[in-house]
Amino acid sequence: MNQKKNSQTRLIVASSLCAAALLASFAMSKAANQREKYWVVLKPIAVGTQLEQSDVGYQMVALGNSGSNYLGEQSNPVGSITKRPFAPGDLLEISALTNNSAALVNQQLSISLRSVDIPSTLQIGEVVTIFQLHDASNGEAALEPDHILSGVFIVGLDRKGSNFGGEAALTISVNRDAVPDLLAATTSGRLVIVRSHG
């Protein structure tokens, strides 16, 4: 009789443990797949740029335990400064943002270039190099191209005025210390954009 009772007790305990394991597994799976709102970047953003309202939005994502690394909806990233470049769709990592104004190193400006001096496949968000060319005239010796600036982040490109060999407007983000040299380079010769790849 005791043996039968012990056997039933063991069966009940084993069944309870099995059920508890299944419930725990289900609960952990549900918690891991729970979707929450996180801040996401809507357009390419350069390093050292202050985020504006139009730069970011919400996205429902299931991050599980790694959710603490990203900015949730309860926080507001507007006004924060980026510590790395972001592409559209990137979640905002907490470690990639700062409120230290010393990190605000980039400034945006627009320059006008001949459409033939911009690669036809150039895309917003790419990083390029800018050279200055001086056309030889009146029998003068041609000057070597001048390297003006590397690591230039493309923010915007307007080719509307580039029909029939016209000009295009390029909006770029560059280190603020490089702005004077870049503006000076626009006063003579012409600027040429060189892609960093292919």
Side-chain angles (χ1 to χ4, degrees):
M1 186 78 172
N2 281 343
Q3 190 174 5
K4 188 175 180 182
K5 193 173 182 181
N6 287 341
S7 178
Q8 286 178 341
T9 303
R10 280 194 217 109
L11 182 62
I12 291 170
V13 170
S15 298
S16 299
L17 288 174
C18 185
L22 285 171
L23 282 172
S25 175
F26 175 75
M28 288 188 340
S29 175
K30 188 173 181 182
N33 291 318
Q34 189 170 356
R35 297 168 70 85
E36 297 180 33
K37 280 186 180 178
Y38 288 90
W39 286 98
V40 66
V41 174
L42 301 177
K43 56 189 178 184
I45 304 291
V47 63
T49 301
Q50 191 166 38
L51 291 175
E52 299 177 355
Q53 189 66 52
S54 61
D55 297 330
V56 292
Y58 290 125
Q59 184 172 329
M60 294 292 289
V61 186
L63 295 179
N65 293 334
S66 63
S68 60
N69 298 327
Y70 298 92
L71 215 59
E73 67 172 323
Q74 70 281 0
S75 303
N76 188 354
V78 175
S80 298
I81 300 161
T82 58
K83 293 163 67 176
R84 70 164 181 86
F86 283 92
D90 283 354
L91 292 171
L92 284 175
E93 298 166 90
I94 295 171
S95 62
L97 299 174
T98 181
N99 290 315
N100 184 353
S101 59
L104 189 59
V105 295
N106 274 28
Q107 293 181 326
Q108 286 187 18
L109 70 154
S110 290
I111 53 176
S112 181
L113 297 94
R114 294 190 340 186
S115 59
V116 295
D117 292 330
I118 303 173
S120 61
T121 56
L122 186 69
Q123 299 290 321
I124 293 172
E126 286 192 59
V127 175
V128 299
T129 301
I130 299 179
F131 286 88
Q132 181 184 34
L133 298 182
H134 296 279
D135 295 324
S137 59
N138 299 327
E140 297 173 350
L143 297 173
E144 289 289 321
D146 290 325
H147 173 265
I148 302 299
L149 191 59
S150 294
V152 177
F153 189 90
I154 304 299
V155 176
L157 175 58
D158 182 2
R159 296 183 185 268
K160 290 177 185 172
S162 65
N163 294 336
F164 309 109
E167 295 195 339
L170 193 66
T171 303
I172 56 179
S173 179
V174 299
N175 188 292
R176 61 184 171 205
D177 294 335
V179 171
D181 289 340
L182 179 57
L183 291 177
T186 64
T187 62
S188 64
R190 71 184 212 263
L191 298 182
V192 176
I193 301 299
V194 177
R195 296 179 76 190
S196 299
H197 64 277

Short mmCIF file of all heavy atoms in Angstrom, two decimals, residues 28 32 40 48 73 77 90 99 129-130 142 160 167 188-189:
data_model
loop_
_atom_site.label_atom_id
_atom_site.label_comp_id
_atom_site.label_asym_id
_atom_site.label_seq_id
_atom_site.Cartn_x
_atom_site.Cartn_y
_atom_site.Cartn_z
N MET A 28 8.81 32.76 -20.36
CA MET A 28 10.07 33.35 -20.85
C MET A 28 9.97 33.64 -22.35
O MET A 28 10.44 34.67 -22.82
CB MET A 28 11.25 32.40 -20.56
CG MET A 28 11.59 32.39 -19.10
SD MET A 28 13.09 31.50 -18.60
CE MET A 28 13.47 30.41 -19.89
N ALA A 32 10.23 37.34 -24.01
CA ALA A 32 11.27 37.60 -25.01
C ALA A 32 10.67 38.14 -26.31
O ALA A 32 11.32 38.89 -27.03
CB ALA A 32 12.07 36.33 -25.29
N VAL A 40 13.77 55.12 -33.40
CA VAL A 40 14.51 54.69 -34.57
C VAL A 40 14.84 55.91 -35.43
O VAL A 40 14.11 56.90 -35.43
CB VAL A 40 13.68 53.65 -35.37
CG1 VAL A 40 12.43 54.28 -35.95
CG2 VAL A 40 14.48 52.99 -36.45
N GLY A 48 28.35 63.43 -34.54
CA GLY A 48 28.49 64.80 -34.05
C GLY A 48 27.37 65.72 -34.46
O GLY A 48 27.53 66.92 -34.57
N GLU A 73 10.42 54.43 -25.67
CA GLU A 73 9.53 55.56 -25.91
C GLU A 73 9.43 56.52 -24.73
O GLU A 73 9.07 57.67 -24.89
CB GLU A 73 8.13 55.06 -26.28
CG GLU A 73 7.41 54.35 -25.16
CD GLU A 73 5.96 54.03 -25.51
OE1 GLU A 73 5.32 54.85 -26.19
OE2 GLU A 73 5.49 52.96 -25.11
N PRO A 77 14.99 61.55 -27.44
CA PRO A 77 16.35 61.75 -27.95
C PRO A 77 16.57 63.11 -28.60
O PRO A 77 17.71 63.46 -28.92
CB PRO A 77 16.48 60.64 -28.99
CG PRO A 77 15.08 60.46 -29.50
CD PRO A 77 14.18 60.71 -28.33
N ASP A 90 17.99 52.41 -38.15
CA ASP A 90 18.81 52.05 -36.98
C ASP A 90 18.08 52.42 -35.69
O ASP A 90 17.52 53.52 -35.58
CB ASP A 90 20.15 52.79 -37.00
CG ASP A 90 21.15 52.19 -37.98
OD1 ASP A 90 20.85 51.14 -38.56
OD2 ASP A 90 22.22 52.80 -38.16
N ASN A 99 24.71 64.15 -24.32
CA ASN A 99 24.19 65.51 -24.18
C ASN A 99 25.32 66.51 -23.98
O ASN A 99 25.08 67.69 -23.71
CB ASN A 99 23.20 65.58 -23.00
CG ASN A 99 21.91 64.84 -23.31
OD1 ASN A 99 21.36 64.97 -24.39
ND2 ASN A 99 21.44 64.05 -22.37
N THR A 129 34.93 62.25 -50.40
CA THR A 129 36.09 63.15 -50.32
C THR A 129 35.89 64.27 -51.33
O THR A 129 35.34 64.04 -52.41
CB THR A 129 37.39 62.37 -50.63
OG1 THR A 129 37.52 61.31 -49.68
CG2 THR A 129 38.61 63.26 -50.55
N ILE A 130 36.34 65.47 -50.98
CA ILE A 130 36.20 66.62 -51.88
C ILE A 130 37.59 67.09 -52.33
O ILE A 130 38.48 67.29 -51.50
CB ILE A 130 35.45 67.78 -51.21
CG1 ILE A 130 34.04 67.34 -50.81
CG2 ILE A 130 35.39 68.99 -52.12
CD1 ILE A 130 33.23 68.42 -50.10
N ALA A 142 49.05 73.25 -65.81
CA ALA A 142 47.94 72.75 -64.99
C ALA A 142 48.41 72.51 -63.56
O ALA A 142 49.51 71.99 -63.34
CB ALA A 142 47.39 71.47 -65.59
N LYS A 160 17.85 68.72 -59.42
CA LYS A 160 16.81 69.29 -60.28
C LYS A 160 17.39 70.28 -61.29
O LYS A 160 16.94 70.37 -62.41
CB LYS A 160 15.74 69.98 -59.44
CG LYS A 160 14.88 69.00 -58.66
CD LYS A 160 13.88 69.72 -57.78
CE LYS A 160 13.11 68.73 -56.92
NZ LYS A 160 12.27 69.41 -55.92
N GLU A 167 24.04 72.85 -62.68
CA GLU A 167 24.60 72.64 -61.35
C GLU A 167 23.63 71.88 -60.46
O GLU A 167 22.43 71.85 -60.71
CB GLU A 167 24.97 73.99 -60.73
CG GLU A 167 26.08 74.70 -61.48
CD GLU A 167 26.68 75.83 -60.68
OE1 GLU A 167 26.01 76.33 -59.75
OE2 GLU A 167 27.82 76.22 -60.98
N SER A 188 37.22 79.57 -55.99
CA SER A 188 38.02 79.46 -57.21
C SER A 188 38.07 78.01 -57.67
O SER A 188 37.90 77.09 -56.88
CB SER A 188 39.45 79.96 -56.96
OG SER A 188 40.11 79.15 -56.01
N GLY A 189 38.31 77.83 -58.97
CA GLY A 189 38.34 76.48 -59.53
C GLY A 189 36.97 75.84 -59.38
O GLY A 189 35.95 76.51 -59.37
#
